Amino acid sequence: QVQLVESGGGLVQTGGSLRLSCAASGRTFYAMGWFRQAPGKEREFVACINWGGGNRLYADSVKGRFTISRDNAKNTVYLQMNSLKSEDTAVYYCAARSVVSVRLSTTPTQYDYWGQGTQVTVSS
């Protein structure tokens, strides 16, 4: 019954922008995040957000360029990506944690549910 469905990926030129969406269903998630995985590389943390949206964490590589947000009325989390670089090319995954935690987590294994992923390709 729990599902996370990503959308919004695509091809964009260097310096361009994309907005990813993740629609959740089945339950309420107190913390959600975005991870990405490039070919031949491990899955890496991008950003995460708490229930109220007041606490957010970003990977150093995307800080200042990406913004994570959520709309709990729609059970949806977003990732606004600006000033995109070729290094941002990867499959982006939405993830959710099933329990409340005092601290946000950047560790993939601490997230319980995952979406199918959406491809983001940045070309020069």
Side-chain angles (χ1 to χ4, degrees):
Q1 292 183 331
V2 174
Q3 286 187 310
L4 302 177
V5 181
E6 301 103 329
S7 62
L11 175 65
V12 65
Q13 298 274 38
T14 297
S17 299
L18 284 174
R19 184 177 179 85
L20 306 183
S21 298
C22 174
S25 63
R27 60 159 293 165
T28 298
F29 297 103
Y30 295 98
M32 300 185 70
W34 289 93
F35 294 78
R36 66 187 182 186
Q37 188 167 20
K41 295 185 177 181
E42 296 293 323
R43 189 167 300 184
E44 65 175 357
F45 169 77
V46 176
C48 61
I49 188 170
N50 73 325
W51 168 258
N55 294 322
R56 289 172 281 190
L57 294 176
Y58 296 95
D60 289 340
S61 59
V62 306
K63 192 174 298 182
R65 299 188 297 119
F66 291 10
T67 302
I68 188 171
S69 62
R70 66 189 298 172
D71 185 341
N72 292 337
K74 298 180 179 180
N75 292 319
T76 301
V77 64
Y78 305 95
L79 184 68
Q80 179 66 46
M81 304 184 294
N82 299 326
S83 301
L84 284 163
K85 307 173 181 179
S86 61
E87 303 95 288
D88 297 316
T89 296
V91 176
Y92 283 70
Y93 297 91
C94 177
R97 300 186 72 188
S98 61
V99 297
V100 178
S101 178
V102 175
R103 294 185 175 183
L104 293 171
S105 176
T106 63
T107 304
T109 56
Q110 293 186 346
Y111 287 78
D112 304 297
Y113 302 98
W114 295 84
Q116 298 295 315
T118 184
Q119 177 71 47
V120 172
T121 302
V122 184
S123 63
S124 60

